[in-house]
């Protein structure tokens, strides 16, 4: 099973920026999709951004133009750069990997989450 560990969350003022990191226990280039979700208090978990093995990216309308999902030179790390943060961006951010296994077919694995709080 792939293990995902998120980091980079914290308290930031409105208009500020954060870069979240997700480190996987194996190369993310073997995975069909890497995604970031978030869950605000009292809300269901929602997709923020996703990137496929082929390089296609998708963003929630609420973060388009403010967030970028990317990989660094290490093939096991995916980032979510968030700029111009708003209080509505507050929530626990989760990394998720979708990949195919011979034993189980396509599976999705969640990280443990990292808290993002946007407040003055």
């Amino acid at each position: 099973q792939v293990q995902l560990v998120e980091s980079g969350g914290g308290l930031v003022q409105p208009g500020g920026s954060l870069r979240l990191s997700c480190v996987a226990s194996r190369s993310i280039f073997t995975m069909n999709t890497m995604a970031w979700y978030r869950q605000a208090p009292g809300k269901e978990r929602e997709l923020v951004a996703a990137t496929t093995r082929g390089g296609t990216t998708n963003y929630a309308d609420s973060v388009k133009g403010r967030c970028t999902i990317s990989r660094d030179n290490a093939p096991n790390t995916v980032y979510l750069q968030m700029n111009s943060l708003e209080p509505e961006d507050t929530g626990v951010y989760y990394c998720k990997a979708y990949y195919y296994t011979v034993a189980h077919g396509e599976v999705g694995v969640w990280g443990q989450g990292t808290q993002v709080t946007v407040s003055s």
Side-chain angles (χ1 to χ4, degrees):
Q1 189 84 332
V2 171
Q3 305 294 319
L4 304 175
V5 179
E6 304 100 324
S7 63
L11 175 64
V12 63
Q13 294 186 5
S17 298
L18 286 173
R19 189 179 72 164
L20 307 183
S21 299
C22 174
V23 179
S25 58
R26 78 181 196 195
S27 174
I28 59 177
F29 291 110
T30 68
M31 304 175 190
N32 293 332
T33 301
M34 295 293 298
W36 285 96
Y37 290 76
R38 69 185 178 191
Q39 188 165 17
K43 301 291 186 178
E44 293 186 353
R45 197 169 299 182
E46 63 177 349
L47 177 69
V48 177
T51 182
T52 69
R53 184 174 56 205
T56 301
T57 58
N58 293 290
Y59 298 94
D61 289 341
S62 60
V63 303
K64 285 181 179 177
R66 301 189 296 116
C67 293
T68 303
I69 186 170
S70 64
R71 302 176 178 89
D72 69 1
N73 292 330
N76 64 334
T77 305
V78 64
Y79 300 98
L80 182 68
Q81 177 69 44
M82 302 189 295
N83 303 318
S84 302
L85 286 164
E86 305 165 355
E88 292 75 20
D89 296 316
T90 293
V92 179
Y93 284 68
Y94 298 88
C95 182
K96 188 173 185 178
Y98 298 86
Y99 60 98
Y100 185 88
T101 69
V102 174
H104 304 290
E106 188 173 70
V107 300
V109 176
W110 293 98
Q112 86 289 346
T114 183
Q115 176 71 45
V116 171
T117 303
V118 184
S119 176
S120 60

